[in-house]
């Protein structure tokens, strides 16, 4: 007999060879009906797989995130069968699960178009309704290659050759249709459900290589329930309305052009918003005892070799060779420059922690297809800082960073935050001992924070020089954005020979804590635009007030109003054109100006303004000084408002 232990610690005895399906039925018929797969000693497996030794087992159901991945995985197989049924001669390649859905790459001479989607979805629904079982078979490589060659599946033949010889070659059937796949799968197609939708079609090179055939990639999504699918589609619809690229044009904030791919052309209003963010962050950092520095944009290759970037990050760097054959790189990160500042002059334990901050412009190569407005660029500004400290100071400093990050996010309207620990990646520098210490330090912090916040682990997602805490915030429509990071680094200072003098007079290498709060200011700007759908809070709005005249008789008073507003520190402009007020209101509403002062002969005589707020049809009249007092307070950044 073998012992099967369940998540609650209970265990039962079974004959060797028992399947997950049989175990689920033994527990309860309802569990057998709900189960989609099983995790055997933490590894996902088919319910039909036999169990021959003592194990820990957990059943995966539709409300489990792992269950959703399986639903999407199987929906990809069903979509591939539907496509090959409707379009004979189409070759299938690969169809992985991705964030928010899945795709499948096909080779076909004729292009797929959105007009094909309805027919594919209908055929998928028919296959799902047949409730065909997914069955696994182990084939020899020769048999698999012979079968795929016979059926004209050249890409699958290549995939068979790429599978390591020690791995089983698995074939999954759903009725008569089959595919090469590692698995696992649901018990049958019927378990997928009807909550799926094809989203779009795009081109993709086979294996991402432009020298290989162009394929057609059909993107789709699937959810455990129709309600979840509908909510997702509604979120996409709302996200399209909030697209920062469209709003950026309407608000006249920035633009992009081919001569500078992945770099932002900031317009006056956009640059005002950008500088408002920097000014806010500068005040918060000064209050927290950071000193601000600036380091060179271009540095010699030797520095990047010492830091480890040349060996681990070179493909992301912009490199240039000068006429005297010196090799330089545009900096992708600020940290090596900050170590040089720390090294310049003798430091003692009394100087620690030393907090160095920089609004550093960094350049990183992103593939053209990955660029996306201000969210994904090749040149961006980091609110970067590095804290040089002792090992004993790590916990206190990371907790201070945590408090500062969360306070800042609250000021921008973000309350729902998830904190995750990203551990050592395969490609890294430093000893395992150093990584053990760094991960243990952040692990203690995460454990402490776990009582107040949602936390988790991202295995293998750390930076090449150290593990990190990642701060992910949720926006107004439920999307998640990873922004702030805190990284503990036992490696970089030592690689550059940095040290401080201890109380005993000995040399010791400092620990370096890397910290960013907005992360990329460009990306955070895009997040803010989409979070607020362009309706930025008054303190953030690059243009806070437009004074619009009804007739020319109000022009002189309009200039007085603008001058008075500027004296109160408000950002104001005038619209004295010979246009009707409804036209002016529409135009400035489209540009997301939060406040409109309407003035004419009557307002000039009474020293009042008629106030219209963005998003409201109401209009109210206030005395000029009263209106400016109200807006001057609202226009203060949160940190200054609290201080006053």
């Amino acid at each position: 007999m073998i012992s099967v232990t369940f998540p609650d610690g209970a265990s039962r005895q079974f004959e060797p060879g028992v399947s997950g399906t049989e175990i689920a039925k033994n527990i309860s018929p309802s569990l057998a009906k709900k189960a989609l797969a099983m995790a055997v000693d933490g590894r996902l497996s088919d319910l039909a797989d036999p169990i021959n030794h003592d194990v820990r087992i957990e059943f995966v159901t539709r409300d489990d995130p792992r269950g959703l991945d399986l639903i999407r995985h199987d929906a990809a197989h069903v979509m591939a069968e539907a496509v090959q049924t409707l379009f004979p001669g189409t070759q299938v390649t690969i169809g992985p699960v991705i964030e928010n859905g899945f795709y499948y790459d096909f080779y076909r001479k004729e292009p797929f178009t959105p007009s094909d989607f309805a027919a594919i979805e209908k055929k998928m629904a028919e296959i799902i309704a047949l409730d065909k079982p997914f069955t696994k078979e182990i084939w020899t490589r020769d048999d698999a290659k012979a079968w795929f060659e016979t059926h004209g599946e050249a890409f699958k033949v290549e995939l068979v050759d790429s599978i390591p010889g020690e791995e089983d070659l698995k074939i999954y059937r759903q009725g008569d249709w089959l595919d090469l796949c590692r698995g696992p799968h649901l018990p049958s197609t019927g378990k997928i459900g009807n909550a799926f939708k094809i989203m779009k079609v795009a081109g993709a090179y086979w294996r991402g290589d432009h020298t290989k055939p162009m394929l057609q990639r059909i993107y789709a999504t699937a959810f455990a329930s129709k309600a979840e699918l509908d909510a997702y589609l509604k979120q996409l619809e709302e996200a399209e309305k909030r697209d920062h690229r469209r709003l950026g044009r309407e608000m006249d904030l920035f633009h992009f052009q081919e001569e500078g791919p992945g770099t932002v052309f900031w317009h006056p209003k956009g640059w005002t918003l950008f500088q408002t963010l920097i000014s806010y962050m500068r005040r918060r950092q000064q209050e927290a005892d950071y000193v601000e520095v600036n380091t060179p944009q271009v540095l010699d290759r030797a520095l990047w070799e010492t830091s480890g970037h040349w060996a681990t990050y070179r493909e992301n760097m912009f490199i240039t060779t000068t006429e005297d054959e010196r090799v330089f790189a545009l900096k992708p990160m600020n940290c090596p420059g900050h170590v040089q500042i720390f090294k310049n002059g003798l430091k003692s334990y009394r100087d620690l922690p030393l907090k160095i901050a920089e609004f550093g412009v960094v350049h990183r190569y992103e593939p053209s297809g990955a660029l996306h407005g201000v969210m994904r660029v090749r040149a961006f500004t980091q609110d970067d800082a590095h804290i040089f400290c002792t090992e004993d100071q790590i916990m206190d400093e990371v907790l201070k960073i945590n408090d500062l990050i969360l306070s800042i996010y609250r000021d921008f309207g973000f309350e729902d935050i998830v904190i995750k620990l990203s551990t050592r990646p395969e490609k890294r520098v430093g000893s395992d001992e150093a990584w053990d210490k760094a991960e243990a330090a952040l692990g203690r912090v995460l454990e402490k924070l776990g009582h107040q916040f949602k936390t988790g682990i991202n295995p293998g997602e750390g930076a090449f020089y150290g593990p990190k805490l990642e701060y992910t915030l949720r926006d107004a429509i439920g999307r998640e954005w990873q922004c702030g990071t805190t990284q503990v680094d036992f490696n970089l200072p030592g690689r550059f020979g940095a040290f401080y003098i201890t109380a005993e007079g000995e040399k010791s290498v400092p620990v370096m804590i890397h910290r960013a709060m907005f992360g990329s200011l460009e990306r955070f700007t895009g997040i803010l635009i989409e979070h607020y759908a362009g309706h930025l809070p008054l303190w953030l709005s690059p243009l806070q007030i437009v004074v619009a005249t009804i007739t020319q008789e109000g022009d002189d008073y309009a200039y007085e109003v603008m001058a008075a507003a500027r004296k109160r520190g408000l950002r104001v402009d005038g619209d004295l054109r010979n246009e009707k007020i409804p036209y002016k209101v529409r135009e400035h509403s489209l540009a997301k100006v939060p406040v409109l002062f309407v003035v004419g002969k009557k307002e000039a005589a009474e020293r009042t303004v008629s106030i219209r707020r963005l998003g409201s049809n109401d209009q109210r009249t206030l005395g000029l000084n009263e209106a400016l007092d109200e807006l001057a307070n609202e226009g203060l950044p949160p940190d200054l408002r609290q201080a006053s």
Side-chain angles (χ1 to χ4, degrees):
M1 300 290 282
I2 61 170
S3 177
V4 175
T5 304
F6 303 100
D8 63 359
S11 61
R12 297 191 186 189
Q13 304 297 308
F14 295 93
E15 293 286 344
V18 65
S19 69
T21 302
E22 291 168 331
I23 295 173
K25 286 179 179 177
N26 182 270
I27 296 172
S28 76
S30 63
L31 176 61
K33 188 175 181 180
K34 290 191 298 183
L36 301 181
M38 59 181 175
V40 179
D41 290 334
R43 184 174 180 179
L44 278 183
S45 303
D46 297 315
L47 284 174
D49 284 352
I51 299 172
N52 293 302
H53 54 83
D54 293 350
V55 295
R56 298 186 66 86
I57 189 171
E58 179 184 3
F59 289 102
V60 176
T61 58
R62 298 185 80 78
D63 55 2
D64 187 313
R66 294 169 295 180
L68 179 57
D69 282 350
L70 289 170
I71 289 169
R72 290 172 171 171
H73 183 188
D74 287 15
H77 280 238
V78 167
M79 185 172 75
E81 180 183 354
V83 166
Q84 288 198 310
T85 303
L86 294 169
F87 306 98
T90 301
Q91 292 188 55
V92 295
T93 61
I94 58 171
V97 172
I98 57 174
E99 185 180 10
N100 297 322
F102 59 92
Y103 68 78
Y104 216 110
D105 286 345
F106 301 95
Y107 181 75
R108 178 174 178 253
K109 292 182 179 178
E110 298 79 13
F112 293 110
T113 68
S115 62
D116 297 320
F117 293 176
I120 297 171
E121 288 176 349
K122 181 180 178 184
K123 181 56 68 175
M124 289 175 67
E126 292 172 3
I127 296 168
I128 289 169
L130 291 172
D131 200 20
K132 300 175 182 179
F134 284 100
T135 56
K136 178 171 60 181
E137 301 172 6
I138 306 298
W139 287 16
T140 67
R141 277 155 178 72
D142 289 342
D143 287 346
K145 289 176 67 173
W147 193 95
F148 287 122
E149 284 171 352
T150 300
H151 289 77
E153 297 280 13
F155 297 95
K156 290 294 183 184
V157 173
E158 187 176 332
L159 286 173
V160 170
D161 285 333
S162 69
I163 296 174
E166 67 274 10
E167 286 188 22
D168 286 338
L169 198 149
K170 300 175 185 176
I171 299 291
Y172 277 87
R173 291 185 183 272
Q174 54 205 54
D176 295 329
W177 192 86
L178 59 82
D179 199 3
L180 175 69
C181 184
R182 289 190 177 92
H185 281 270
L186 305 173
S188 64
T189 60
K191 297 285 188 182
I192 295 171
N194 63 352
F196 62 87
K197 185 174 179 60
I198 296 176
M199 306 301 295
K200 64 179 180 178
V201 62
Y205 289 110
W206 171 233
R207 295 193 157 180
D209 187 339
H210 71 278
T211 65
K212 293 184 177 179
M214 173 63 76
L215 308 174
Q216 297 185 66
R217 177 170 294 177
I218 298 180
Y219 288 93
T221 192
F223 286 86
S225 70
K226 193 71 164 56
E228 290 172 298
L229 173 63
D230 291 343
Y232 174 69
L233 296 177
K234 185 175 181 181
Q235 184 189 73
L236 288 182
E237 182 182 344
E238 183 62 31
E240 189 174 348
K241 295 177 187 175
R242 294 167 177 258
D243 191 320
H244 73 279
R245 294 167 298 181
R246 178 178 63 81
L247 291 171
R249 289 191 299 272
E250 293 175 357
M251 298 169 70
D252 192 23
L253 301 178
F254 51 76
H255 81 272
F256 297 87
Q257 59 190 64
E258 185 54 37
E259 292 82 355
T263 54
V264 187
F265 288 77
W266 289 103
H267 298 188
K269 291 178 184 176
W271 194 240
T272 297
L273 171 57
F274 196 86
Q275 290 301 317
T276 300
L277 292 176
I278 286 181
S279 297
Y280 167 87
M281 186 61 77
R282 180 171 281 131
R283 290 192 302 271
R284 297 302 307 270
Q285 289 183 157
Q286 288 174 345
E287 186 182 26
D289 296 326
Y290 287 82
V291 292
E292 189 174 328
V293 301
N294 188 265
T295 56
Q297 288 287 105
V298 182
L299 291 164
D300 189 277
R301 164 182 176 166
L303 181 139
W304 303 110
E305 288 177 333
T306 301
S307 70
H309 287 82
W310 198 263
T312 59
Y313 205 74
R314 184 180 174 185
E315 67 272 15
N316 301 103
M317 297 168 67
F318 287 93
I319 312 296
T320 185
T321 304
T322 57
E323 288 189 6
D324 59 358
E325 298 187 352
R326 287 188 69 181
V327 179
F328 292 87
L330 280 170
K331 66 175 177 181
M333 299 180 190
N334 300 301
C335 28
H338 289 189
V339 178
Q340 306 316 306
I341 290 176
F342 178 87
K343 286 176 60 182
N344 196 270
L346 193 63
K347 304 291 188 301
S348 86
Y349 70 96
R350 294 188 181 90
D351 299 310
L352 306 185
L354 177 59
K355 305 177 183 182
I356 297 176
E358 177 177 7
F359 295 102
V361 178
V362 297
H363 291 75
R364 300 178 187 177
Y365 178 75
E366 294 280 359
S368 298
L371 300 177
H372 181 72
V374 298
M375 300 289 203
R376 196 80 177 263
V377 290
R378 289 176 175 170
F380 58 94
T381 305
Q382 286 185 305
D383 60 332
D384 207 7
H386 296 90
I387 300 172
F388 296 88
C389 64
T390 68
E391 284 190 43
D392 292 341
Q393 293 170 332
I394 292 174
M395 186 84 163
D396 283 346
E397 292 307 316
V398 173
L399 288 172
K400 287 176 185 176
I401 293 169
N402 173 78
D403 291 344
L404 183 58
I405 287 177
L406 296 176
S407 167
I408 286 168
Y409 290 165
R410 282 193 295 270
D411 281 351
F412 286 89
F414 299 108
E415 299 280 353
D416 189 356
I417 311 296
V418 177
I419 308 169
K420 292 188 177 182
L421 169 60
S422 294
T423 58
R424 69 193 74 186
E426 288 188 19
K427 198 174 183 181
R428 61 182 184 268
V429 297
S431 66
D432 286 343
E433 180 185 5
W435 278 88
D436 289 343
K437 287 196 293 185
E439 288 178 352
L442 286 183
R444 289 191 295 272
V445 173
L446 193 70
E447 184 178 351
K448 185 178 180 67
L449 297 177
H451 300 297
Q452 309 168 58
F453 304 98
K454 287 180 278 188
T455 60
I457 306 289
N458 286 328
E461 294 296 317
F464 72 85
Y465 47 79
K468 58 184 176 180
L469 294 182
E470 294 185 342
Y471 290 77
T472 299
L473 51 86
R474 191 184 300 273
D475 71 9
I477 60 173
R479 295 173 301 177
E480 293 185 344
W481 304 95
Q482 192 275 306
C483 293
T485 59
T486 302
Q487 304 159 3
V488 173
D489 182 356
F490 280 86
N491 294 303
L492 205 61
R495 292 173 74 91
F496 281 108
F499 65 88
Y500 67 94
I501 304 301
T502 68
E504 293 74 32
E506 303 291 331
K507 290 182 179 180
S508 183
V509 178
V511 178
M512 186 176 185
I513 301 175
H514 306 241
R515 182 238 71 189
M517 294 186 284
F518 290 154
S520 155
L521 271 88
E522 284 77 1
R523 183 167 175 268
F524 197 77
T525 300
I527 293 169
L528 287 172
I529 292 168
E530 297 197 359
H531 175 64
Y532 287 107
H535 296 224
L536 295 169
L538 191 71
W539 75 274
L540 275 176
S541 296
L543 178 58
Q544 296 168 322
I545 305 170
V546 166
V547 181
T549 53
I550 300 171
T551 64
Q552 286 184 331
E553 293 174 300
D555 287 2
D556 290 342
Y557 181 54
Y559 285 118
E560 287 185 49
V561 171
M562 285 187 279
R566 290 186 182 116
K567 282 185 178 179
R568 303 292 184 93
L570 292 162
R571 297 184 286 273
V572 61
D573 202 354
D575 186 347
L576 280 62
R577 295 174 299 166
N578 186 23
E579 298 283 357
K580 294 186 181 299
I581 278 295
Y583 177 84
K584 294 181 180 181
V585 170
R586 283 195 301 272
E587 185 174 285
H588 297 302
S589 294
L590 182 65
K592 304 295 185 291
V593 178
V595 178
L596 200 65
F597 281 177
V598 178
V599 300
K601 184 178 180 180
K602 178 185 176 185
E603 286 78 12
E606 297 176 351
R607 309 295 294 174
T608 61
V609 290
S610 293
I611 305 172
R612 291 174 181 259
R613 301 295 295 248
L614 181 63
S616 172
N617 293 322
D618 296 334
Q619 180 172 305
R620 62 194 181 112
T621 300
L622 288 178
L624 176 58
N625 288 332
E626 184 182 358
L628 292 179
D629 286 344
E630 180 181 297
L631 293 175
N633 182 63
E634 184 182 342
L636 280 175
D639 60 311
L640 297 181
R641 203 179 309 148
Q642 292 160 8
S644 63

